């Protein structure tokens, strides 16, 4: 019996309530000031629907691309030795550490018509700034660490004997990867994918500078909420926020289930 | 008496860890708490240390030298506790681990630095680890860690020493050395000591008295001789070593197994009931001829004479099943039983248990 | 959502494996990974610093010594200076309760602690507007005809009490978005340590505080520092949530990230990147410290594994 249980749990609950739960409950209070028709109208107006499509579509695509390249980066970091590996490993977390506003103006300028990369793309008729492609670039930037950091520990702990067993049974290197390694990484890879996707859905700072925020075309949902707030229409902003919150909570549930699956998967494999 | 526990009930969820347990330990005694896992022995030890508290604080009591400590927290109870996995502070050296209990005392009662040093040095000498004082726990072997844990517990001059599976995590050879060392240590410093173990051999060898626990209750308590020779229940009998079971009938001071009558050590009076006779493998004799002794016939199934003792597996000819016999190497070489051969079997120290009766 | 940056001890050296890919495949994979990282991470970073000095060191110095920039730095330091210690205390308390005791609803509590991570920064700001804004609970109270506790309402009105579009709102939004960082690092770490060492300390007579300072803290110090570093990075860099509650009054409620936006919107790109270079440097410092702390923690774990 250690001391301090009531003190620490009491403080935890108090602080959680004060900073998180009470303010969050205000969202549901504010929603009730809208009638059901108004609420429904707000969340299904064409601009909102277009923003959902855009936000979900680009987030999904960015998470998918990250899953692919993130897996390769993880593989290289875990399995190969090369010069500067420690720096590369540390750099993976840059999107976490770099403030989103900095990422936002950097990507916008880099891919702008006069930017280092944008300039190269203009001759091909590709315009990244103020386009959905730009949003995709920003969301890819912020999502990379999620994949690498979820898959990395699993790949590190993978028992080499499994691969040796597969090889001794006649599997070639590709078969070993495809039939043995990848299935064992799948739960972690899905978790990482879901985390990157969830983060991308709510992203604001790194997107607004490159997106141009053209209604119906490059306006993501958080920007739409921001627009309502700028017009002091808090009820409509809150209605849109509720949609995003519900999606976030569902994703949170999915991620918890995935993590539970990852853990179970790995413990049964150890036994 | 020095340490006494009265009527302690402790549940974890629906699991009954301690079911109204009472126990008295005399001053200077070394008592073993013996039982299978889940029998409540560690919970009892932790309750004495103040790491768990009884669910029935009104009725339950923990007394140290007559003083009621039931509601006193662990930090003020002055019980020395050695944890099963040692729980050494990994960031502190051996020396600082042992000194910890002295250093955390309030300023008024804290000994001066020189006194702490000399006390720790003395304990290091006692556990024979003086050269390792500056090492960290991870640099020690399992046996050394256990000795440091003991010294750390002793440093605060506890009223009682509580050891949770003190040798559980060690390999067989170190275990034997260390338990002899513990017995010697106890004979030197005579501190009231309770230790938990699931190893009956360890309990019988080291302890003055052994308490056997089962499902949250104390099944029997007594000296090693008492509990080995006069187990109070089939459970204790079984737990304390190998045993053969022969079903038969109890009649007028003797037990009938097959067609042979064996005398019981105690009178039963007028009785005629079904019962099970318990006989240890080393209380069975084998002969080639019946002689005067009461015997029954059996067939040798197989034998194994590796080591100082020989183990035989025999089968009753009347279809009553198989049993094991332990012979000394000399007896075995003299007799040289062959597999498939028929022999005669004599029993001694037969104890009988039936559902409502035991001798 | 669990933050993925968590304290996992890396095994830095590649363990010997008998099997590997053909050299050609290795080279392609290595090239792809490094190319992707260079394009998405290194290039933007290099770009920030190049742009920051595009108009020379003089302009750079002038931008950073501008009173508005200085004010933004002060406000950013203030917000982080309040949010980090508070969330640190919370993290330690929550980790103690959750890792050292068993109680019902622990998993729900863990999920609730993670909640701020899964909420869009814009919504994180919005909820405080709803509580403290002119149209929110506080506004309703201050403007009510017959408020409960009239003296309090009068006092608030007399002092023109403001949280939203003022500094307190910025601090609150920062508290919210950095809420889980320290707790999230400490909980798994303390759970993995178990409670045996603390119990041993208690039996040896240590008080609750002594147990914490002498036994628990030395074992979690690197994890705690790790959480603090990440918490600080986010606190100083938060943009979305702060941008909702700040009102963006230059020289008053602009933090560094908001100041960058203001400069960028004024087409002062070089100025924006000059200020951004400060935060980019902070990010690099964070990554460096993080790697160092990981190294220290691993060394400690190797030297003193649980026994």
């Amino acid at each position: 019996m250690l001391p301090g249980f009531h003190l620490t749990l009491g403080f935890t609950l108090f602080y959680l309530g004060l900073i998180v739960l009470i303010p969050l409950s205000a969202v549901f209070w504010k929603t009730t000031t809208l009638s059901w028709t108004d609420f429904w109208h707000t969340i299904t107006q064409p601009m909102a629907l277009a923003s959902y499509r855009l936000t979900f579509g680009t987030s999904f695509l960015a998470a998918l691309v990250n899953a692919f390249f993130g897996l390769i980066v993880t593989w290289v970091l875990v399995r190969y030795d090369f010069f500067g590996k420690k720096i590369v490993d540390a750099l993976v977390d840059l999107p976490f550490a770099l403030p989103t506003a900095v990422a936002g103006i950097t990507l916008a300028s880099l891919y702008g018509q006069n930017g280092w990369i944008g300039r190269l793309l203009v001759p091909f008729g590709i315009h990244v700034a103020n386009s959905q492609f730009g949003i995709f670039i920003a969301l890819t930037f912020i999502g990379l660490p999620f994949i690498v950091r979820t898959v990395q520990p699993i790949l590190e702990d993978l028992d080499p004997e499994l691969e040796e067993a597969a090889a001794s049974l006649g599997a070639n290197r590709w078969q070993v990867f495809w039939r043995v390694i990848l299935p064992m990484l799948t739960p972690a890879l899905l978790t990482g994918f879901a985390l990157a996707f969830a983060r991308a859905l709510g992203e604001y700072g790194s997107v607004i500078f490159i997106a141009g925020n053209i209604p119906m075309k490059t306006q993501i949902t958080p920007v739409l909420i921001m627009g309502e707030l700028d017009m002091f229409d808090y009820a409509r902003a809150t209605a849109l926020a509720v949609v995003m919150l519900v999606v976030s909570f569902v994703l949170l549930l999915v991620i918890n289930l995935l993590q539970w699956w990852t853990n179970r998967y790995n413990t049964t494999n150890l036994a | 008496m020095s340490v006494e526990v009265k009527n302690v009930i402790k549940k974890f969820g629906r699991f009954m860890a301690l079911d109204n347990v009472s126990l008295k330990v005399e001053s200077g005694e070394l008592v073993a708490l013996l039982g299978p896992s889940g029998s409540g022995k560690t919970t009892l030890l932790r309750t004495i240390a103040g790491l768990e508290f009884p669910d029935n604080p009104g009725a339950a009591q923990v007394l140290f030298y007559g003083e009621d400590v039931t509601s006193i927290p662990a930090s003020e109870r002055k019980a020395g506790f050695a944890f099963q996995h040692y729980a050494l502070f990994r960031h502190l050296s051996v020396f600082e681990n042992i000194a910890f209990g002295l250093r955390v005392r309030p300023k008024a009662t804290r000994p001066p630095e020189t006194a702490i040093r000399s006390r720790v040095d003395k304990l290091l000498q006692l556990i024979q680890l003086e050269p390792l004082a500056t090492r960290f726990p991870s640099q020690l072997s399992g046996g050394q860690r256990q000795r440091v844990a003991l010294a750390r517990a002793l440093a605060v001059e506890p009223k009682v020493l509580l050891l949770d599976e003190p040798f559980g995590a060690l390999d067989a050879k170190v275990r034997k050395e260390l338990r002899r060392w513990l017995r010697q240590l106890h004979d030197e410093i005579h501190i009231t000591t309770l230790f938990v173990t699931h190893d009956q051999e360890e309990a019988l060898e080291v302890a003055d008295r052994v308490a056997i626990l089962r499902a949250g209750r104390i099944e029997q308590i007594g000296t090693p001789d008492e509990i080995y020779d006069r187990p109070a229940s089939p459970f204790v009998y079984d737990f304390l070593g190998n045993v053969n079971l022969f079903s038969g009938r109890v009649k007028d001071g003797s037990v009938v197994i097959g067609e042979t009558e064996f005398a019981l050590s105690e009178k039963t009076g007028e009785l005629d009931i079904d019962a099970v006779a318990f006989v240890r493998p080393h209380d069975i004799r084998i002969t080639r001829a019946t002689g005067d002794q009461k015997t029954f016939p059996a067939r040798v199934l197989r034998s194994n004479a590796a080591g100082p003792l020989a183990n035989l597996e025999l089968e009753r000819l009347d279809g009553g099943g198989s049993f094991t016999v332990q012979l000394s190497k000399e007896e075995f070489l003299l007799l040289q039983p062959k597999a498939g051969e028929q022999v005669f079997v004599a029993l001694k120290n037969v104890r009988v248990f039936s559902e409502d009766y035991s001798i | 959502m669990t933050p993925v940056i968590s304290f996992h001890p890396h095994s830095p050296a590649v363990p010997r494996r008998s099997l590997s890919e053909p050299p050609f495949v290795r080279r392609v994979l290595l090239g792809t990974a490094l190319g992707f990282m260079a394009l998405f991470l290194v290039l933007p970073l290099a770009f920030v610093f190049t742009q920051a000095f595009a108009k020379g060191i003089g302009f750079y110095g002038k931008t950073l010594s501008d009173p508005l920039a200085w004010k933004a730095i002060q406000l950013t330091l203030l917000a982080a200076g309040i949010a980090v210690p508070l969330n640190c205390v919370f993290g330690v308390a929550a980790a103690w309760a959750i890792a050292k005791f068993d109680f019902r609803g622990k998993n729900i509590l863990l999920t609730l602690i993670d909640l701020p991570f899964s909420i869009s920064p814009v919504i994180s700001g919005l909820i405080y507007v709803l509580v403290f804004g002119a149209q929110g609970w506080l506004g309703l109270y201050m403007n009510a005809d017959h408020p409960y506790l009239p003296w309090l309402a009068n006092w608030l009105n007399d002092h023109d009490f403001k949280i939203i579009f003022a500094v307190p709102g910025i601090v609150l939004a920062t508290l919210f978005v950095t809420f889980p960082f320290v707790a999230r690092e400490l909980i798994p770490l303390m759970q993995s340590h178990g409670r045996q060492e603390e119990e041993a300390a208690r039996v040896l007579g240590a008080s609750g505080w002594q147990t914490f300072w002498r036994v628990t803290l030395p074992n979690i110090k690197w994890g705690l520092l790790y959480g603090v570093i990440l918490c600080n990075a986010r606190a100083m860099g938060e943009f979305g949530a702060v941008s909702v509650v700040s009102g963006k009054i230059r020289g008053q409620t602009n933090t560094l990230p908001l100041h960058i936006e203001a400069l960028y919107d004024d087409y002062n790109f070089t100025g924006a990147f000059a200020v951004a270079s400060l935060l980019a440097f902070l990010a690099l410092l964070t990554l460096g410290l993080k790697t160092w702390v990981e190294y220290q923690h691993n060394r400690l774990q190797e030297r003193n594994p649980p026994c």
Side-chain angles (χ1 to χ4, degrees), chain A residues 27-28 31 39 43 225 237-247, chain C residues 123:
Chain A
V27 168
F28 298 94
T31 314
F39 177 77
I43 64 167
I225 296 177
T238 309
L240 293 167
V242 166
V243 175
M244 292 202 68
L245 276 178
V246 169
V247 174
Chain C
I123 298 176

Side-chain angles (χ1 to χ4, degrees), chain B residues 203-249:
Chain B
L204 296 179
E205 184 184 317
V206 178
D208 295 326
R209 281 198 301 154
V210 178
I212 296 182
L213 280 92
R214 180 197 188 188
R217 288 169 174 277
I218 292 184
E219 192 94 352
Q220 188 177 6
I221 180 161
T223 64
D225 292 350
E226 277 167 10
I227 61 161
Y228 191 81
D229 293 335
R230 287 192 293 286
S233 65
F235 173 79
V236 176
Y237 216 124
D238 194 34
F239 197 73
L240 288 182
N242 292 330
V243 67
N244 292 302
L245 273 59
F246 299 95
S247 52
R249 276 189 89 71

Side-chain angles (χ1 to χ4, degrees), chain B residues 46 75 90-91 104 138, chain C residues 199 202-203 210 214 303-304:
Chain B
R46 288 170 62 88
S75 56
R90 67 190 102 171
H91 63 291
V104 296
S138 59
Chain C
E199 284 181 349
R202 288 292 279 168
V203 175
Q210 283 176 319
R214 286 166 176 262
R303 198 182 55 159
N304 306 330

Side-chain angles (χ1 to χ4, degrees), chain A residues 174-255:
Chain A
W174 172 251
Q175 287 171 316
V176 170
F177 175 76
W178 190 249
R179 289 167 175 265
V180 178
I181 300 174
L182 193 61
M184 303 206 47
L185 297 181
T186 302
L189 201 57
L190 280 176
T191 309
F193 175 85
L195 285 166
F197 179 62
R199 167 73 200 262
L201 284 184
E203 183 53 26
Y204 175 74
S206 58
V207 174
I208 52 162
F209 297 98
I210 202 171
N213 311 322
I214 308 154
M216 302 297 292
K217 207 173 146 234
T218 60
Q219 198 173 40
I220 55 168
T221 313
V223 171
L224 197 60
I225 296 177
M226 204 62 156
E228 301 287 1
L229 282 173
D230 284 343
M231 290 184 287
F232 298 101
D233 198 336
Y234 294 151
R236 284 165 68 92
T238 309
L240 293 167
V242 166
V243 175
M244 292 202 68
L245 276 178
V246 169
V247 174
S248 300
F249 292 160
V250 170
L251 270 172
L252 189 66
L253 190 74
V254 170
I255 288 164

